[in-house]
Structure formats: C-alpha cells, structure tokens
Amino acid sequence: MATGKVRYWAAARAAAGVAEEPFEAATLGELMTNITRDRAELARVVSRSSFLVDGSPVGRRAHDTVVLADGATVEVLPPFAGG
C-alpha cells in the first residue's frame, strides 16, 4: 500500500472541495474508488478526467494496472474548455 497525495485541478478541485489531499492505495483504480466514495460530484468529474502519476500521463491504461509508488503524486485533470 502506497501513500502520497492527490492534486485536483479546475472542476475536480471544485468537486473535491480541496486542492489536494493525502491518499493510501496500491493502484490508481483503488485510489479512484477511495476518493469518490460518498462524493457523487467528484465521481462524475473523475469519470471524465485524465491522470498524471508523478508527471507521467496514464493515458488509456486500465487504472487497476497502474501501480502507485510510495510518495507518488497523482493529478486529476478534468477536460478543459477553450481552444
């Protein structure tokens, strides 16, 4: 089980109500389950978001296959408007 921090950006920050928070999880999938429990609006935003783990894009990898290292930083990036 790794510990680290989650950083929320834009709509994810608004839905979470905080800019960042600590986590304890082994995989990105487990982390997403943990942070969205009892947080329906955050779950909605997270379902459409992309993620960086220690600065590297997760892309289309299954979240349960993305193993988190101790001290990891996970960034939640909702879709951004503009162009």
Side-chain angles (χ1 to χ4, degrees), residues 23 41 43 46 49 67 70-71 80:
F23 75 80
E41 181 61 17
V46 163
S49 295
V67 176
D70 212 29
F80 293 93

Side-chain angles (χ1 to χ4, degrees), residues 23-42:
F23 75 80
E24 187 174 301
T27 67
L28 181 59
E30 181 182 0
L31 174 59
M32 294 301 101
T33 298
N34 293 347
I35 66 171
T36 58
R37 187 175 291 121
D38 300 321
R39 294 162 104 178
E41 181 61 17
L42 183 57

Side-chain angles (χ1 to χ4, degrees), residues 3 6-8 11 18 24-26 34 36 39 43 48 51 61 65-66 69-71 77-78:
T3 59
V6 182
R7 288 186 182 152
Y8 300 105
V18 295
E24 187 174 301
N34 293 347
T36 58
R39 294 162 104 178
R48 298 181 3 237
F51 304 91
R61 289 182 286 163
T65 67
V66 179
D70 212 29
L77 306 166

Side-chain angles (χ1 to χ4, degrees), residues 5 16 20 68 83:
K5 65 182 167 186
E20 68 180 49
L68 301 174

Side-chain angles (χ1 to χ4, degrees), residues 43-69:
R44 186 186 68 76
V45 173
V46 163
S47 72
R48 298 181 3 237
S49 295
S50 58
F51 304 91
L52 298 176
V53 176
D54 290 331
S56 296
V58 170
R60 297 189 181 268
R61 289 182 286 163
H63 294 166
D64 288 337
T65 67
V66 179
V67 176
L68 301 174

